[in-house]
Every structure is written in C-alpha cells, then in structure tokens.
Amino acid sequence: MRMLVVVAATILGLDLVTKILAVAYVKPGRPVQVIGDVVTLTMLRNPGAAFSMATGMTWLLTLVAIGVVIGVIKIGRTMRSPWWALGLGLVLGGALGNLIDRLFRSPGPLQGHVVDFVSVGWWPVFNVADSAIVCGAVLLVALTLFGFNPDGTRGDAAAEDETDNEAEA
C-alpha cells in the first residue's frame, strides 16, 4: 500500500505542478514549440473524457473518477505485488489529478474542465494525469494477461502451465 500511495502522490504532484505552469505560461491559441511541430505545449480546457468524448457529461465523469479512486483504494488494501502497486498508483494519481480539475476548475464543481496541454503529432492533447492513467491501465492489463494477481501470486493459467510442464518432465 505504501508504494501505491507514493506513486499516486508523485503523479498527483507532477500533474498539479505542470497544470499550474501550463495555465500560467501557455496562452490559448499560441502553442509553444518544444520539438518543432511534432511536440508542442497547447492550452486546452477539456470538458469531456479522453479524446473530448462525452463533453456534455462532465458531472458523470466526475462521479466515475470518484468510483475509480474508491475502487483502487479498496484493491490496494489487499495487494502484495509491487507491479500492481505501480499500476494502481499510476491510475490513482492520474484519476485524482483530473478529479481535482473537475471539482475545482471553472465553470464549477462537478463541471470543471480538465487542463490539457501536451500535444504530440496527431495525438489528441493530454496531460500528466492522462499519461499516468493510460500507462497504469496498460501495465494492469499486461499483469492480468500474464497471470500476475494483486496478492502477489500467479494466476491459474500460469500455475496450470507450470503443472503441465512438470507432469511432462
């Protein structure tokens, strides 16, 4: 649980600091080039989810984020795997970062727009929280597919493969 909290707090801190800096220094409609036209800092206030989907459902996205936070904390209490702690910490930190925007940014509570500012090529504009959520989710899916359980044990598929291999030998 300690690792999960440290990862989540680190991601949350990075997300908050980078959003504060982006709001202060990146003006809407005036992107800042970082690596030519490929990587730019572009100020965008996103009322929706990823890729600006569900823009009229900001209140619902806020409630979903609260549910994710509660779910991650519940899973984290029984977890023994450092890899699951990393994945869940990334998801928790990112969810909290975007949740804070939805709760405290304009136009108001449960309707706040998320600050997005990183633009890479043709990919939609995103922020540190979004990156953490995606990376954490990819890690959790990989762990699940390879049979690693949150409690630190290997899943049934992995155990069956090992049993089959031992039986053949």
Side-chain angles (χ1 to χ4, degrees):
M1 186 70 167
R2 181 180 301 158
M3 182 176 174
L4 185 150
V5 170
V6 168
V7 170
T10 301
I11 293 300
L12 178 58
L14 286 171
D15 185 61
L16 292 175
V17 167
T18 56
K19 286 177 180 174
I20 289 168
L21 292 171
V23 168
Y25 295 109
V26 181
K27 303 302 176 211
R30 294 181 32 206
V32 176
Q33 293 184 337
V34 178
I35 302 174
D37 289 336
V38 177
V39 179
T40 61
L41 302 180
T42 304
M43 178 55 61
L44 181 73
R45 308 264 180 162
N46 184 358
F51 310 112
S52 294
M53 293 187 301
T55 56
M57 301 278 209
T58 305
W59 63 272
L60 179 62
L61 296 170
T62 303
L63 296 177
V64 168
I66 291 169
V68 167
V69 169
I70 292 169
V72 168
I73 291 170
K74 284 185 103 169
I75 292 170
R77 295 166 53 120
T78 63
M79 184 184 49
R80 299 285 179 262
S81 165
W83 289 106
W84 272 85
L86 175 61
L88 288 172
L90 289 167
V91 170
L92 180 59
L96 286 170
N98 284 339
L99 180 59
I100 287 171
D101 281 3
R102 296 206 186 280
L103 292 174
F104 297 110
R105 291 200 187 271
S106 64
L110 299 180
Q111 299 175 7
H113 295 182
V114 173
V115 172
D116 289 333
F117 59 91
V118 179
S119 178
V120 179
W122 54 268
W123 198 255
V125 181
F126 60 95
N127 58 42
V128 171
D130 297 336
S131 296
I133 291 168
V134 169
C135 291
V138 167
L139 176 57
L140 295 175
V141 168
L143 290 170
T144 302
L145 289 175
F146 289 110
F148 292 95
N149 296 322
D151 65 2
T153 63
R154 292 295 302 264
D156 293 333
E160 286 175 17
D161 286 346
E162 288 178 17
T163 304
D164 291 343
N165 290 340
E166 289 173 7
E168 291 174 5

Short mmCIF file of all heavy atoms in Angstrom, two decimals, residues 28-60:
data_model
loop_
_atom_site.label_atom_id
_atom_site.label_comp_id
_atom_site.label_asym_id
_atom_site.label_seq_id
_atom_site.Cartn_x
_atom_site.Cartn_y
_atom_site.Cartn_z
N PRO A 28 -3.85 30.25 -24.63
CA PRO A 28 -4.72 29.58 -25.60
C PRO A 28 -4.51 30.16 -27.00
O PRO A 28 -4.41 31.37 -27.18
CB PRO A 28 -6.12 29.88 -25.09
CG PRO A 28 -5.95 30.16 -23.64
CD PRO A 28 -4.60 30.81 -23.51
N GLY A 29 -4.43 29.27 -27.98
CA GLY A 29 -4.26 29.72 -29.36
C GLY A 29 -2.83 30.08 -29.74
O GLY A 29 -2.56 30.45 -30.87
N ARG A 30 -1.90 29.98 -28.78
CA ARG A 30 -0.49 30.29 -29.05
C ARG A 30 0.39 29.14 -28.54
O ARG A 30 1.02 29.25 -27.49
CB ARG A 30 -0.12 31.60 -28.39
CG ARG A 30 -0.88 32.77 -29.02
CD ARG A 30 -0.59 34.13 -28.47
NE ARG A 30 0.75 34.37 -28.00
CZ ARG A 30 1.03 35.28 -27.08
NH1 ARG A 30 0.06 36.00 -26.54
NH2 ARG A 30 2.27 35.48 -26.69
N PRO A 31 0.46 28.05 -29.30
CA PRO A 31 1.25 26.89 -28.87
C PRO A 31 2.74 27.21 -28.75
O PRO A 31 3.26 28.05 -29.48
CB PRO A 31 1.01 25.83 -29.94
CG PRO A 31 0.19 26.45 -30.99
CD PRO A 31 -0.18 27.83 -30.58
N VAL A 32 3.38 26.53 -27.82
CA VAL A 32 4.82 26.67 -27.61
C VAL A 32 5.49 25.44 -28.22
O VAL A 32 5.19 24.32 -27.81
CB VAL A 32 5.15 26.78 -26.11
CG1 VAL A 32 6.65 26.82 -25.89
CG2 VAL A 32 4.45 27.98 -25.49
N GLN A 33 6.38 25.66 -29.17
CA GLN A 33 7.07 24.54 -29.80
C GLN A 33 8.16 24.00 -28.88
O GLN A 33 8.97 24.76 -28.37
CB GLN A 33 7.68 24.96 -31.13
CG GLN A 33 6.66 25.30 -32.18
CD GLN A 33 7.30 25.63 -33.52
OE1 GLN A 33 8.46 26.00 -33.60
NE2 GLN A 33 6.52 25.47 -34.58
N VAL A 34 8.15 22.69 -28.68
CA VAL A 34 9.17 22.02 -27.88
C VAL A 34 10.14 21.29 -28.80
O VAL A 34 11.34 21.45 -28.70
CB VAL A 34 8.53 21.05 -26.86
CG1 VAL A 34 9.59 20.33 -26.06
CG2 VAL A 34 7.58 21.80 -25.94
N ILE A 35 9.58 20.49 -29.70
CA ILE A 35 10.38 19.81 -30.74
C ILE A 35 9.67 20.07 -32.07
O ILE A 35 8.81 19.29 -32.51
CB ILE A 35 10.50 18.29 -30.48
CG1 ILE A 35 11.12 18.02 -29.12
CG2 ILE A 35 11.31 17.61 -31.58
CD1 ILE A 35 11.14 16.56 -28.71
N GLY A 36 10.02 21.18 -32.68
CA GLY A 36 9.39 21.56 -33.95
C GLY A 36 7.88 21.59 -33.83
O GLY A 36 7.33 22.05 -32.83
N ASP A 37 7.21 21.09 -34.87
CA ASP A 37 5.74 21.00 -34.84
C ASP A 37 5.27 19.66 -34.28
O ASP A 37 4.09 19.44 -34.11
CB ASP A 37 5.18 21.16 -36.26
CG ASP A 37 5.32 22.58 -36.77
OD1 ASP A 37 5.42 23.50 -35.94
OD2 ASP A 37 5.33 22.76 -38.01
N VAL A 38 6.22 18.77 -33.96
CA VAL A 38 5.86 17.43 -33.50
C VAL A 38 5.40 17.44 -32.05
O VAL A 38 4.40 16.83 -31.70
CB VAL A 38 7.04 16.44 -33.69
CG1 VAL A 38 6.69 15.07 -33.15
CG2 VAL A 38 7.42 16.36 -35.15
N VAL A 39 6.13 18.12 -31.18
CA VAL A 39 5.76 18.22 -29.76
C VAL A 39 5.58 19.69 -29.43
O VAL A 39 6.52 20.48 -29.55
CB VAL A 39 6.83 17.60 -28.84
CG1 VAL A 39 6.43 17.73 -27.38
CG2 VAL A 39 7.07 16.14 -29.20
N THR A 40 4.37 20.04 -29.02
CA THR A 40 4.09 21.42 -28.63
C THR A 40 3.31 21.43 -27.31
O THR A 40 2.71 20.44 -26.92
CB THR A 40 3.26 22.17 -29.70
OG1 THR A 40 2.00 21.50 -29.86
CG2 THR A 40 3.98 22.24 -31.03
N LEU A 41 3.36 22.56 -26.65
CA LEU A 41 2.51 22.81 -25.49
C LEU A 41 1.34 23.65 -25.99
O LEU A 41 1.54 24.77 -26.48
CB LEU A 41 3.28 23.52 -24.39
CG LEU A 41 4.54 22.79 -23.89
CD1 LEU A 41 5.22 23.61 -22.80
CD2 LEU A 41 4.18 21.41 -23.37
N THR A 42 0.14 23.11 -25.90
CA THR A 42 -1.06 23.74 -26.44
C THR A 42 -2.13 23.76 -25.36
O THR A 42 -2.58 22.69 -24.93
CB THR A 42 -1.56 22.95 -27.67
OG1 THR A 42 -0.50 22.85 -28.62
CG2 THR A 42 -2.77 23.61 -28.29
N MET A 43 -2.53 24.94 -24.91
CA MET A 43 -3.53 25.04 -23.84
C MET A 43 -4.91 24.66 -24.35
O MET A 43 -5.38 25.18 -25.36
CB MET A 43 -3.55 26.46 -23.28
CG MET A 43 -4.58 26.68 -22.19
SD MET A 43 -4.46 25.55 -20.79
CE MET A 43 -2.84 25.92 -20.21
N LEU A 44 -5.55 23.74 -23.63
CA LEU A 44 -6.88 23.29 -23.98
C LEU A 44 -7.63 22.97 -22.69
O LEU A 44 -7.07 22.33 -21.79
CB LEU A 44 -6.78 22.04 -24.86
CG LEU A 44 -8.07 21.43 -25.36
CD1 LEU A 44 -8.67 22.30 -26.45
CD2 LEU A 44 -7.80 20.03 -25.90
N ARG A 45 -8.86 23.41 -22.59
CA ARG A 45 -9.71 23.07 -21.44
C ARG A 45 -10.72 22.04 -21.92
O ARG A 45 -11.55 22.33 -22.75
CB ARG A 45 -10.41 24.30 -20.89
CG ARG A 45 -9.48 25.46 -20.59
CD ARG A 45 -9.09 25.47 -19.17
NE ARG A 45 -8.19 26.59 -18.92
CZ ARG A 45 -7.97 27.04 -17.75
NH1 ARG A 45 -8.56 26.50 -16.70
NH2 ARG A 45 -7.13 28.04 -17.56
N ASN A 46 -10.62 20.82 -21.39
CA ASN A 46 -11.41 19.70 -21.88
C ASN A 46 -12.57 19.40 -20.92
O ASN A 46 -12.34 18.93 -19.81
CB ASN A 46 -10.50 18.48 -22.02
CG ASN A 46 -11.21 17.28 -22.60
OD1 ASN A 46 -12.39 17.31 -22.89
ND2 ASN A 46 -10.46 16.20 -22.77
N PRO A 47 -13.81 19.62 -21.37
CA PRO A 47 -14.96 19.30 -20.52
C PRO A 47 -15.33 17.82 -20.56
O PRO A 47 -16.14 17.36 -19.77
CB PRO A 47 -16.09 20.14 -21.12
CG PRO A 47 -15.73 20.25 -22.56
CD PRO A 47 -14.21 20.28 -22.61
N GLY A 48 -14.71 17.05 -21.46
CA GLY A 48 -15.08 15.65 -21.64
C GLY A 48 -14.03 14.69 -21.14
O GLY A 48 -13.13 15.04 -20.39
N ALA A 49 -14.16 13.48 -21.63
CA ALA A 49 -13.20 12.42 -21.30
C ALA A 49 -12.10 12.42 -22.35
O ALA A 49 -11.95 13.38 -23.09
CB ALA A 49 -13.93 11.07 -21.28
N ALA A 50 -11.36 11.33 -22.42
CA ALA A 50 -10.28 11.21 -23.41
C ALA A 50 -10.83 11.47 -24.81
O ALA A 50 -11.95 11.09 -25.13
CB ALA A 50 -9.68 9.81 -23.34
N PHE A 51 -10.03 12.14 -25.62
CA PHE A 51 -10.39 12.48 -26.99
C PHE A 51 -11.62 13.38 -27.05
O PHE A 51 -12.34 13.39 -28.04
CB PHE A 51 -10.61 11.23 -27.85
CG PHE A 51 -9.50 10.23 -27.75
CD1 PHE A 51 -9.70 9.01 -27.14
CD2 PHE A 51 -8.23 10.53 -28.22
CE1 PHE A 51 -8.67 8.09 -27.03
CE2 PHE A 51 -7.19 9.61 -28.11
CZ PHE A 51 -7.41 8.40 -27.51
N SER A 52 -11.88 14.12 -25.97
CA SER A 52 -13.02 15.04 -25.86
C SER A 52 -14.37 14.35 -26.04
O SER A 52 -15.34 14.97 -26.47
CB SER A 52 -12.87 16.20 -26.85
OG SER A 52 -11.76 16.98 -26.51
N MET A 53 -14.46 13.08 -25.69
CA MET A 53 -15.74 12.37 -25.73
C MET A 53 -16.56 12.76 -24.50
O MET A 53 -16.02 13.11 -23.47
CB MET A 53 -15.53 10.86 -25.76
CG MET A 53 -14.86 10.36 -27.02
SD MET A 53 -14.79 8.57 -27.14
CE MET A 53 -13.85 8.13 -25.70
N ALA A 54 -17.86 12.64 -24.61
CA ALA A 54 -18.81 12.89 -23.52
C ALA A 54 -18.68 14.29 -22.94
O ALA A 54 -18.74 14.47 -21.72
CB ALA A 54 -18.65 11.82 -22.44
N THR A 55 -18.53 15.29 -23.80
CA THR A 55 -18.33 16.66 -23.31
C THR A 55 -19.53 17.20 -22.53
O THR A 55 -19.38 18.08 -21.71
CB THR A 55 -18.01 17.62 -24.47
OG1 THR A 55 -19.04 17.54 -25.45
CG2 THR A 55 -16.67 17.28 -25.10
N GLY A 56 -20.72 16.67 -22.76
CA GLY A 56 -21.88 17.12 -22.01
C GLY A 56 -22.12 16.34 -20.73
O GLY A 56 -23.11 16.55 -20.05
N MET A 57 -21.21 15.44 -20.40
CA MET A 57 -21.39 14.55 -19.25
C MET A 57 -20.33 14.76 -18.19
O MET A 57 -19.92 13.80 -17.53
CB MET A 57 -21.36 13.10 -19.72
CG MET A 57 -22.38 12.75 -20.73
SD MET A 57 -23.89 12.43 -19.85
CE MET A 57 -24.69 11.29 -20.90
N THR A 58 -19.87 15.98 -17.99
CA THR A 58 -18.79 16.25 -17.05
C THR A 58 -19.14 15.76 -15.65
O THR A 58 -18.30 15.17 -14.96
CB THR A 58 -18.44 17.74 -17.03
OG1 THR A 58 -18.15 18.14 -18.37
CG2 THR A 58 -17.26 18.04 -16.15
N TRP A 59 -20.37 15.95 -15.22
CA TRP A 59 -20.78 15.52 -13.87
C TRP A 59 -20.68 14.00 -13.74
O TRP A 59 -20.25 13.50 -12.71
CB TRP A 59 -22.21 16.00 -13.57
CG TRP A 59 -23.23 15.40 -14.50
CD1 TRP A 59 -23.62 15.88 -15.71
CD2 TRP A 59 -23.92 14.17 -14.31
NE1 TRP A 59 -24.54 15.03 -16.30
CE2 TRP A 59 -24.74 13.98 -15.45
CE3 TRP A 59 -23.95 13.22 -13.30
CZ2 TRP A 59 -25.59 12.87 -15.59
CZ3 TRP A 59 -24.79 12.11 -13.45
CH2 TRP A 59 -25.59 11.96 -14.59
N LEU A 60 -21.03 13.26 -14.81
CA LEU A 60 -20.94 11.81 -14.77
C LEU A 60 -19.48 11.36 -14.74
O LEU A 60 -19.12 10.44 -13.99
CB LEU A 60 -21.65 11.20 -15.99
CG LEU A 60 -21.62 9.68 -16.08
CD1 LEU A 60 -22.32 9.05 -14.88
CD2 LEU A 60 -22.27 9.22 -17.38
#
